[in-house]
Amino acid sequence: MIDKLTQYRRADAPLPTTNRLWPLYGAGFENFGVDGKPITIPMPTYGPDELLIRHDACGHCFSDIKVIHAGQNHPRIHRNMRERPVVLGHEVSITVVGVGEALRDQYKVGDRFIVQADIFYHGQNYSYGYEIDGGLSEYTVIDQRVLNGDYGNYLIPIRNPETGYAEAALTEPWACVIAAYQLRYRTAPRADGTMWIIGTARAKPLYTFSQGFDETAHPAKLLLTNVPAAFDSWLRTRAASLGIEVVNVPELPDPATVETDDAPVSPAGITGGSGKGVDDIILLGADPDLIERISPNLAGYGIMALLDDTPMPRPIKVDVGRIHYNRWLYVGSTGTNIAAAYSNTPARSTLKPGGRAWFVGAGGPMGRMHVQAAIEAENGPAVIVCTDVSDVRLDDLCTSFSLEAQNKGIEFICLNPMNKEAYAAVMAPFKATGFDDIIVLAPVTPVIADAATHLAPKGVMNIFAGVPRGKFAEIDLSDVYLRQTRIIGHSASTIENMRFMLEQAETGQLSPNRSVAAIGSLEAAYDGLKAVDETRFPGKIVIYPHIKPLPLTALTDLKDVLPTVYAKLKDGREWTNEAEAELLRVMLP
């Protein structure tokens, strides 16, 4: 007789006639489910070019919380949620349980996949767990938007049958972490783009381009405002010879009237963008008022180059949300060669080997992944500082990683900034030397502004936390041209990132299971999301939609709740594939 777990893995048992799920009808937890519970609907039907899939595991993400708070005002939601509710859950591991007739040569029952959630189809974003029903349901239908999207097939096959369901699901957030260290930025003005050159009272008489304004590469359109006469003449003469359209902009626009784009930016690489705004804005002289006024005109992936050699009189109100979501970048140089502003210090995203790294807000689920990745890196930092305002999360982080860091010769420091005297004493030397890398995992603008003051020369601050567009932090951008610092940001991933992380997990080079802090059944999703909103757990919460009712349970509490599962944890605190298999043996209906 076949046991429950084997049959579940084979996925060939008769299917139920119903499907349970958590609908979100609008903003607020009061609109999540019905009376705080999931609902039951008929099993979905699927067409000849569609798949019926089973959700095996689903990780909770703070991105889910953003949808709950924003409702249909969220930029990834394009429908009336009261009429067509959203089913959250984009960190998923799935199994095919039904194959449409036209797809039977490509798929079979029992095939397992993860999903690259950022799905584009005919230019429209249909993110999984947003526009397409996600993992907080037992079953859903996968259609051609996923199977044949703008960037190919968004299903990524799980090759190793021993790969765990949670292990696979959590490759999605892990892909976002690793992608943060693989960001690429332009090292020259965008060829065939729109360039805007603006002069200020601090401008020099003449500037040059060593690249980016010649026969091999040049903008298609050039906007000119108050450019010094000699340089203006040179630009117009060169533009005429290259066939560049020149537009005189005598008055600067009001930022309030600038058209912006809040839609998700498609993964179009370093030359991509929203298609709106200016690709390159070059400011001849760093004027704080002008920087604040002109920055809203930057396109997605836009770059502002600051040319100056003296500090500005005050910090700049920087839209750090657009640095994160729209990949804006500020570069600079103290000379008069404009191309040098781009190429002197390219915006690296990798952690500096042997450097000093600071993880701000390190105690949460994503912070733990960043710290784990830094410790496990082959040429990682020599010093890692982790700060968090929760002693519980910080202590758990230190317990999990301090010995591992010590064994690799890494100086590993955990600090709570709420303990002000101890925090100030330990951070004082770093304030003097600066950090080579600062990863910000707390979406708090004063925290971002303070972190920026700790950057070393040529240091990089990565705003990984998803700060809303239109949120500003006061940052001294003089460091961009005087000390060659860079502020970057992003937290999404590509299909290639997902494939890479799944391969890492399947070959044992990565252990996503170390990120798990609590588990529960589908019924526990409400409590799980509330826990994410309230930052109650130091790691990830994973929902198993098909097990019998299990309240949200910390791994350490399994000792009393499910002792045979607890017995298969690593060191009594880390999730394992063996613990998951035992959970399914005990808890599958």
Side-chain angles (χ1 to χ4, degrees):
M1 182 177 178
I2 299 175
D3 64 83
K4 293 188 295 185
L5 178 55
T6 300
Q7 187 174 61
Y8 183 82
R9 287 172 170 168
R10 284 171 46 171
D12 58 358
L15 294 172
T17 59
T18 58
N19 180 30
R20 295 186 307 142
L21 53 86
W22 282 92
L24 178 64
Y25 294 99
F29 275 94
E30 66 275 14
N31 286 307
F32 184 56
V34 176
D35 297 327
K37 298 177 181 178
I39 65 171
T40 300
I41 63 172
M43 176 68 80
T45 58
Y46 57 99
D49 60 350
E50 297 175 337
L51 301 174
L52 179 66
I53 63 93
R54 181 185 72 196
H55 289 120
D56 296 307
C58 178
H60 282 334
C61 176
F62 197 78
S63 296
D64 300 322
I65 305 303
K66 293 178 186 177
V67 182
I68 292 174
H69 288 324
Q72 62 196 50
N73 290 326
H74 192 283
R76 292 177 186 263
I77 305 300
H78 313 293
R79 69 208 212 195
N80 185 322
M81 291 174 62
R82 178 56 55 184
E83 297 175 359
R84 294 177 56 222
V86 167
V87 179
L88 298 170
H90 59 276
E91 299 176 1
V92 294
S93 173
I94 68 173
T95 299
V96 175
V97 294
V99 181
E101 184 177 351
L103 300 177
R104 289 177 184 170
D105 290 339
Q106 300 170 257
Y107 303 92
K108 65 180 185 301
V109 169
D111 286 347
R112 295 179 57 198
F113 298 93
I114 57 173
V115 182
Q116 161 55 26
D118 208 15
I119 293 161
F120 285 84
Y121 186 70
H122 294 170
Q124 177 67 46
N125 186 263
Y126 293 98
S127 294
Y128 202 87
Y130 298 80
E131 281 294 302
I132 297 173
D133 286 356
L136 295 187
S137 60
E138 292 180 315
Y139 301 92
T140 197
V141 172
I142 297 291
D143 58 27
Q144 289 296 305
R145 292 175 296 179
V146 179
L147 302 178
N148 191 26
D150 292 353
Y151 294 89
N153 191 334
Y154 291 87
L155 297 186
I156 301 166
I158 298 171
R159 306 292 188 188
N160 186 345
E162 301 303 316
T163 301
Y165 295 118
E167 185 177 41
L170 295 184
T171 57
E172 196 281 337
W174 263 102
C176 295
V177 169
I178 297 305
Y181 303 108
Q182 297 176 344
L183 301 178
R184 295 181 300 148
Y185 289 85
R186 286 189 280 115
T187 56
R190 183 180 177 185
D192 298 321
T194 299
M195 176 185 291
W196 190 4
I197 302 179
I198 302 170
T200 74
R202 296 163 63 143
K204 309 290 185 185
L206 189 62
Y207 294 83
T208 61
F209 279 98
S210 61
Q211 64 172 342
F213 210 97
D214 52 33
E215 291 82 359
T216 59
H218 56 78
K221 187 174 184 179
L222 177 64
L223 312 179
L224 298 176
T225 301
N226 299 327
V227 177
F231 189 41
D232 182 276
S233 176
W234 183 89
L235 287 166
R236 292 177 186 274
T237 301
R238 176 62 66 92
S241 68
L242 296 173
I244 300 171
E245 177 188 359
V246 178
V247 178
N248 189 46
V249 183
E251 295 184 7
L252 297 175
D254 183 345
T257 66
V258 175
E259 184 179 23
T260 59
D261 181 12
D262 282 335
V265 178
S266 62
I270 59 174
T271 59
S274 65
K276 300 178 181 179
V278 180
D279 301 296
D280 294 276
I281 299 178
I282 296 162
L283 208 58
L284 309 177
D287 182 295
D289 295 333
L290 274 180
I291 294 171
E292 292 173 349
R293 186 173 185 179
I294 298 304
S295 289
N297 293 274
L298 281 169
Y301 296 83
I303 294 178
M304 178 176 283
L306 308 176
L307 281 295
D308 211 327
D309 55 9
T310 57
M312 285 184 279
R314 65 173 177 85
I316 306 298
K317 294 178 181 177
V318 179
D319 190 335
V320 288
R322 294 197 181 275
I323 286 178
H324 174 91
Y325 284 108
N326 289 46
R327 298 276 295 276
W328 286 0
L329 180 66
Y330 293 88
V331 300
S333 174
T334 56
T336 56
N337 176 11
I338 292 171
Y342 293 78
S343 59
N344 277 348
T345 304
R348 67 171 170 82
S349 55
T350 55
L351 298 178
K352 183 178 179 179
R356 299 176 296 272
W358 178 19
F359 297 89
V360 183
M366 301 305 287
R368 291 173 67 91
M369 294 181 194
H370 278 276
V371 172
Q372 180 182 334
I375 293 172
E376 293 179 351
E378 186 174 345
N379 294 301
V383 178
I384 294 177
V385 176
C386 303
T387 57
D388 199 278
V389 296
S390 167
D391 281 333
V392 172
R393 302 200 321 177
L394 200 60
D395 290 346
D396 192 89
L397 181 75
C398 288
T399 300
S400 298
F401 297 112
S402 58
L403 182 59
E404 186 176 348
Q406 180 182 334
N407 290 339
K408 292 195 69 173
I410 298 170
E411 184 180 357
F412 190 70
I413 301 169
C414 294
L415 293 171
N416 187 333
M418 304 306 290
N419 303 327
K420 295 184 179 179
E421 290 187 9
Y423 178 82
V426 176
M427 290 295 283
F430 295 110
K431 182 74 171 181
T433 61
F435 287 95
D436 302 297
D437 294 280
I438 300 174
I439 310 298
V440 183
L441 300 130
V444 183
T445 52
V447 171
I448 295 171
D450 175 69
T453 66
H454 290 73
L455 277 172
K458 298 187 178 181
V460 177
M461 182 168 74
N462 189 319
I463 303 171
F464 185 88
V467 186
R469 297 174 180 89
K471 291 292 184 180
F472 295 84
E474 293 193 359
I475 297 174
D476 186 359
L477 290 186
S478 301
D479 288 345
V480 165
Y481 53 87
L482 294 176
R483 303 171 75 235
Q484 296 295 299
T485 61
R486 296 291 181 261
I487 302 172
I488 63 176
H490 201 47
S491 62
S493 63
T494 66
I495 296 174
E496 289 71 26
N497 297 142
M498 292 279 288
R499 288 196 184 101
F500 175 76
M501 295 317 301
L502 181 59
E503 180 184 357
Q504 293 279 295
E506 293 195 296
T507 57
Q509 298 177 70
L510 170 72
S511 179
N513 281 331
R514 295 184 70 180
S515 306
V516 180
I519 61 171
S521 65
L522 190 64
E523 290 82 0
Y526 184 100
D527 290 339
L529 289 168
K530 288 288 287 186
V532 173
D533 193 27
E534 296 165 3
T535 63
R536 276 190 268 143
F537 289 97
K540 298 292 289 186
I541 294 168
V542 176
I543 297 298
Y544 290 90
H546 293 273
I547 64 174
K548 292 180 289 187
L550 176 67
L552 183 65
T553 306
L555 296 189
T556 51
D557 291 338
L558 289 171
K559 184 174 184 179
D560 299 318
V561 179
L562 293 170
T564 61
V565 177
Y566 176 83
K568 295 185 180 297
L569 299 180
K570 181 181 178 182
D571 301 327
R573 61 195 315 273
E574 285 188 10
W575 195 239
T576 64
N577 291 344
E578 293 76 17
E580 180 181 82
E582 181 64 15
L583 173 75
L584 295 173
R585 286 190 188 96
V586 173
M587 296 297 291
L588 283 172

